[in-house]
Coordinates of all heavy atoms in Angstrom, one line a residue:
V59 N -13.7 91.7 -187.4 CA -13.3 90.3 -187.8 C -11.9 90.3 -188.3 O -11.6 91.0 -189.4 CB -14.3 89.8 -188.9 CG1 -13.9 88.4 -189.3 CG2 -15.7 89.8 -188.4
E60 N -11.1 89.6 -187.6 CA -9.7 89.5 -188.0 C -9.4 88.3 -188.9 O -10.1 87.3 -188.8 CB -8.7 89.4 -186.8 CG -8.9 90.5 -185.8 CD -9.7 90.2 -184.6 OE1 -10.6 89.3 -184.7 OE2 -9.5 90.7 -183.5
S61 N -8.4 88.5 -189.7 CA -8.0 87.3 -190.6 C -6.5 87.5 -190.9 O -5.9 88.6 -190.7 CB -8.8 87.3 -191.9 OG -8.6 88.5 -192.6
G62 N -5.9 86.4 -191.4 CA -4.6 86.5 -191.9 C -3.5 85.8 -191.0 O -2.3 85.8 -191.4
G63 N -3.9 85.4 -189.9 CA -2.9 84.7 -189.0 C -2.5 83.4 -189.5 O -3.1 82.8 -190.5
G64 N -1.5 82.8 -188.9 CA -1.0 81.5 -189.3 C 0.3 81.2 -188.8 O 0.8 81.8 -187.9
L65 N 0.9 80.1 -189.3 CA 2.3 79.7 -188.9 C 3.3 80.2 -190.0 O 3.1 80.0 -191.2 CB 2.3 78.2 -188.9 CG 3.7 77.5 -188.7 CD1 4.2 77.9 -187.3 CD2 3.6 76.0 -188.8
V66 N 4.3 80.8 -189.5 CA 5.4 81.3 -190.4 C 6.7 81.1 -189.8 O 6.9 81.0 -188.5 CB 5.1 82.8 -190.7 CG1 5.2 83.6 -189.4 CG2 6.0 83.3 -191.7
Q67 N 7.7 80.9 -190.6 CA 9.1 80.7 -190.1 C 9.7 82.0 -189.7 O 9.3 83.1 -190.2 CB 10.0 80.1 -191.2 CG 9.6 78.6 -191.5 CD 10.6 78.0 -192.4 OE1 11.3 78.6 -193.1 NE2 10.6 76.6 -192.5
P68 N 10.7 82.0 -188.7 CA 11.4 83.2 -188.4 C 11.9 83.9 -189.6 O 12.5 83.3 -190.5 CB 12.5 82.7 -187.5 CG 11.9 81.5 -186.9 CD 11.1 80.9 -188.0
G69 N 11.8 85.2 -189.6 CA 12.2 86.0 -190.8 C 11.1 86.2 -191.9 O 11.3 87.0 -192.8
G70 N 10.0 85.5 -191.7 CA 9.0 85.5 -192.7 C 8.0 86.7 -192.5 O 8.2 87.5 -191.6
S71 N 7.0 86.7 -193.3 CA 6.0 87.8 -193.3 C 4.6 87.3 -193.2 O 4.3 86.2 -193.7 CB 6.2 88.7 -194.5 OG 7.4 89.3 -194.6
L72 N 3.7 88.1 -192.6 CA 2.3 87.9 -192.6 C 1.6 89.2 -192.7 O 2.1 90.2 -192.3 CB 1.8 87.1 -191.4 CG 2.0 85.6 -191.2 CD1 1.6 85.2 -189.8 CD2 1.2 84.9 -192.3
R73 N 0.4 89.2 -193.3 CA -0.4 90.4 -193.3 C -1.8 90.1 -192.6 O -2.5 89.2 -193.1 CB -0.7 90.8 -194.7 CG -1.4 92.2 -194.8 CD -1.5 92.6 -196.3 NE -2.2 93.9 -196.4 CZ -1.6 95.1 -196.4 NH1 -0.3 95.1 -196.1 NH2 -2.3 96.2 -196.5
L74 N -2.0 90.8 -191.6 CA -3.3 90.7 -190.9 C -4.3 91.7 -191.3 O -3.9 92.9 -191.7 CB -3.1 90.8 -189.3 CG -2.1 89.9 -188.7 CD1 -2.1 90.2 -187.2 CD2 -2.3 88.5 -189.0
S75 N -5.5 91.3 -191.4 CA -6.6 92.3 -191.8 C -7.7 92.3 -190.7 O -8.0 91.2 -190.1 CB -7.2 91.9 -193.1 OG -6.2 92.1 -194.1
C76 N -8.3 93.4 -190.5 CA -9.5 93.6 -189.7 C -10.6 94.3 -190.4 O -10.4 95.4 -190.9 CB -9.1 94.4 -188.4 SG -10.5 94.8 -187.4
A77 N -11.7 93.6 -190.6 CA -12.8 94.1 -191.3 C -13.8 94.7 -190.2 O -14.3 93.9 -189.4 CB -13.5 93.1 -192.1
A78 N -14.0 96.0 -190.2 CA -14.9 96.6 -189.2 C -16.2 97.0 -189.8 O -16.3 97.4 -191.0 CB -14.2 97.8 -188.6
S79 N -17.3 96.9 -189.1 CA -18.6 97.3 -189.5 C -19.4 97.8 -188.4 O -19.1 97.5 -187.2 CB -19.3 96.2 -190.2 OG -19.4 95.1 -189.3
G80 N -20.5 98.5 -188.7 CA -21.4 99.0 -187.7 C -21.2 100.4 -187.1 O -22.0 100.8 -186.3
S81 N -20.1 101.0 -187.5 CA -19.9 102.4 -187.0 C -18.8 103.0 -187.8 O -18.2 102.4 -188.7 CB -19.5 102.3 -185.5 OG -19.4 103.6 -185.0
I82 N -18.6 104.3 -187.5 CA -17.4 105.0 -188.1 C -16.5 105.2 -186.9 O -16.8 105.7 -185.9 CB -17.9 106.4 -188.6 CG1 -18.9 106.2 -189.8 CG2 -16.6 107.2 -189.2 CD1 -19.4 107.5 -190.3
F83 N -15.2 104.7 -187.2 CA -14.3 104.6 -186.1 C -13.2 105.7 -186.1 O -12.8 106.1 -187.2 CB -13.6 103.2 -186.2 CG -14.6 102.1 -186.1 CD1 -15.1 101.4 -187.2 CD2 -15.1 101.7 -184.8 CE1 -16.0 100.4 -187.1 CE2 -16.0 100.6 -184.7 CZ -16.5 100.0 -185.9
G84 N -12.9 106.1 -184.9 CA -11.8 107.0 -184.8 C -10.5 106.3 -184.6 O -9.7 106.1 -185.5
L85 N -10.3 105.8 -183.4 CA -9.0 105.1 -183.1 C -9.2 103.6 -183.4 O -10.2 103.0 -183.0 CB -8.7 105.3 -181.6 CG -7.4 104.6 -181.1 CD1 -6.2 105.2 -181.7 CD2 -7.3 104.7 -179.6
M86 N -8.2 103.1 -184.1 CA -8.2 101.6 -184.4 C -6.8 101.1 -184.1 O -5.8 101.9 -184.3 CB -8.6 101.3 -185.8 CG -10.0 101.8 -186.2 SD -10.5 101.3 -187.9 CE -10.7 99.5 -187.6
G87 N -6.7 99.9 -183.8 CA -5.4 99.4 -183.5 C -5.3 97.9 -183.4 O -6.3 97.2 -183.4
W88 N -4.1 97.4 -183.3 CA -3.8 95.9 -183.1 C -3.1 95.8 -181.8 O -2.3 96.5 -181.4 CB -2.9 95.4 -184.2 CG -3.6 95.2 -185.5 CD1 -3.6 96.1 -186.6 CD2 -4.4 94.1 -185.9 NE1 -4.3 95.6 -187.6 CE2 -4.8 94.3 -187.3 CE3 -4.7 92.9 -185.3 CZ2 -5.6 93.4 -188.0 CZ3 -5.5 92.0 -186.0 CH2 -5.9 92.2 -187.3
Y89 N -3.6 94.7 -181.1 CA -3.0 94.3 -179.8 C -2.6 92.8 -179.9 O -3.1 92.2 -180.8 CB -3.9 94.5 -178.7 CG -4.2 96.0 -178.3 CD1 -4.9 96.8 -179.2 CD2 -3.7 96.5 -177.1 CE1 -5.1 98.2 -178.9 CE2 -3.9 97.9 -176.8 CZ -4.6 98.7 -177.7 OH -4.8 100.0 -177.4
R90 N -1.8 92.4 -179.0 CA -1.5 90.9 -179.1 C -1.3 90.4 -177.6 O -1.0 91.2 -176.7 CB -0.2 90.7 -179.9 CG 1.0 91.2 -179.3 CD 2.2 91.0 -180.2 NE 3.5 91.5 -179.7 CZ 4.6 91.6 -180.4 NH1 4.7 91.2 -181.6 NH2 5.7 92.0 -179.8
Q91 N -1.6 89.1 -177.5 CA -1.4 88.5 -176.2 C -0.7 87.1 -176.4 O -1.3 86.2 -177.1 CB -2.8 88.3 -175.5 CG -2.7 87.7 -174.1 CD -4.0 87.9 -173.4 OE1 -5.1 88.1 -173.9 NE2 -3.9 87.8 -172.0

């Protein structure tokens, strides 16, 4: 479950979070489209 997205001005900052459950994970990552 991702959270933290939104609208921000150029030069600004955001922090995205991903809450994972149901397993123990090896590789994790962020992608975008």
Side-chain angles (χ1 to χ4, degrees):
V59 180
E60 303 100 332
S61 62
L65 173 64
V66 63
Q67 291 187 341
S71 298
L72 279 177
R73 185 176 181 87
L74 305 183
S75 294
C76 174
S79 61
S81 187
I82 299 174
F83 300 97
L85 180 66
M86 298 184 74
W88 286 95
Y89 290 70
R90 67 186 181 186
Q91 187 166 16

